Amino acid sequence: MTRLGDLERAVMDVLWDSVPAASDGVTVREVADALDGRELAYTTVMTVLDRLAGKGMVQREREGRAWRYRPAATREAHIAQLMLDALDLGGSRDAALVRFARSVTGTEADVLRSALAAEAGLAEPGRAEPDQARSAGAGVSGRIEEPRATGPALDEATDR
């Protein structure tokens, strides 16, 4: 997945924050107006949206002479994909997952446990429902990928 520059991220934040999933999207002018504190030229915003479309980050549809833009995926799906991409950077994926799991707060750990239980079909009483767990931690495909079983046990992986 493509990492975003500062301006691209600001434009995506506008889209994620203001475009409901059922919406037809927003125009370049609407995005430019939402970025009013940045004092950007209309053509700059148009170029950024065009590049984001080329990267597959936004979908666009012609409306007369203008385009309407909407995010191709949710913010959560984008972040989940970035996390998965980071795991693929090299080294021990298992060790990285264990270190990450040990670094989250208690509430975040509860969300992860619930999501994994829901994915396994073992939703625990008092935990988030499967749909809530999926939206909290699902990837672009809507599924939480399990660690690859290619290395030693997780505890051994972190000792290296």
Side-chain angles (χ1 to χ4, degrees):
M1 173 152 291
T2 304
R3 290 190 178 202
L4 302 176
D6 290 339
L7 185 52
E8 290 173 324
R9 193 172 329 109
V11 168
M12 287 305 301
D13 284 340
V14 168
L15 294 176
W16 283 320
D17 293 341
S18 64
V19 180
S23 168
D24 289 336
V26 293
T27 63
V28 174
R29 174 61 55 209
E30 292 167 326
V31 174
D33 290 346
L35 295 168
D36 60 3
R38 297 189 78 130
E39 300 198 21
L40 298 169
Y42 176 91
T43 54
T44 300
V45 176
M46 183 172 53
T47 299
V48 171
L49 283 163
D50 185 56
R51 287 183 180 166
L52 288 168
K55 293 178 179 182
M57 291 293 301
V58 299
Q59 297 171 338
R60 64 183 178 182
E61 189 173 313
R62 183 69 89 170
E63 183 178 272
R65 291 179 33 177
W67 291 99
R68 294 192 78 76
Y69 295 87
R70 65 183 168 280
T74 65
R75 181 188 328 249
E76 294 77 13
H78 174 70
I79 292 168
Q81 188 59 52
L82 288 173
M83 293 168 69
L84 291 169
D85 291 348
L87 286 173
D88 290 336
L89 289 176
S92 172
R93 187 177 176 123
D94 292 346
L97 284 169
V98 169
R99 187 169 296 269
F100 175 77
R102 289 181 178 162
S103 70
V104 298
T105 66
T107 302
E108 293 165 338
D110 289 343
V111 170
L112 285 172
R113 270 191 225 90
S114 181
L116 290 169
E119 188 64 22
L122 307 171
E124 301 174 37
R127 301 280 186 194
E129 294 297 317
D131 288 341
Q132 292 170 326
R134 278 210 168 95
S135 67
V140 172
S141 67
R143 297 184 46 83
I144 298 171
E145 294 190 13
E146 295 179 9
R148 297 180 199 149
T150 58
L154 291 179
D155 287 336
E156 294 176 72
T158 58
D159 291 338
R160 293 189 191 151

